[in-house]
Amino acid sequence: MKNLKITALLAVLACSPFYAGIFPVENTSVVKTIADVIKWKSESIDVGNIPQGKPKLIRFEFTNTSSKPIVIENVAPSCGCTTADYTKTPILPGKKGFVEASFNAASPGMFMKTVNVTTSDSKTPKTLSFKGVVVS
């Protein structure tokens, strides 16, 4: 019972205004800062119907909206049925880059795949997705 009271007290304190001034809060959130550095033309693409047995190339384009060059450090497809290519040189401020995913449409049916992209600006990967239907 004593542990329950201590836990309840800590929960109340954690949510109280007492802690409101401890953590600095700025007008710009981390998510907004990351989003402002790279502006993706689209983060999710519906490729529609694609033929079975023919690889499909999906291209994600972006613009570097920061004031410094950005390097794509890693691109990781979600499965072995997808390979990736990307801009290998630094993307200068205001310039465009790309990430391409080549999906091997081996099995008929609906699919949704992802590609995680890590850049020099943020170690948190950005997840891009594409979906469609493989028809035989």
Side-chain angles (χ1 to χ4, degrees):
M1 188 68 172
K2 184 177 181 180
N3 286 340
L4 181 60
K5 287 180 182 179
I6 292 172
T7 303
L9 178 62
L10 289 175
V12 168
L13 285 176
C15 297
S16 74
F18 173 77
Y19 286 103
I22 293 178
F23 300 107
V25 177
E26 297 178 16
N27 292 338
T28 306
S29 70
V30 173
V31 173
K32 185 176 184 321
T33 303
I34 292 170
D36 287 345
V37 172
I38 294 178
K39 176 69 177 160
W40 292 93
K41 185 175 179 182
S42 178
E43 296 176 18
S44 180
I45 297 175
D46 186 343
V47 298
N49 292 338
I50 61 173
Q52 182 179 2
K54 184 176 179 185
K56 174 70 175 175
L57 186 66
I58 300 94
R59 186 176 176 101
F60 297 92
E61 296 178 344
F62 66 90
T63 302
N64 176 357
T65 58
S66 75
S67 60
K68 60 183 180 180
I70 292 177
V71 175
I72 297 176
E73 295 181 344
N74 188 37
V75 176
S78 59
C79 69
C81 60
T82 305
T83 59
D85 191 19
Y86 55 93
T87 305
K88 305 286 193 298
T89 58
I91 299 96
L92 300 175
K95 299 299 180 183
K96 295 184 183 294
F98 71 89
V99 172
E100 289 179 338
S102 180
F103 172 63
N104 181 10
S107 301
M110 295 178 66
F111 66 89
M112 187 178 115
K113 303 296 177 185
T114 61
V115 178
N116 289 319
V117 180
T118 307
T119 65
S120 57
D121 187 67
S122 173
K123 301 307 176 201
T124 303
K126 176 68 174 174
T127 301
L128 307 172
S129 66
F130 60 96
K131 65 179 181 175
V133 179
V134 177
V135 293
S136 53

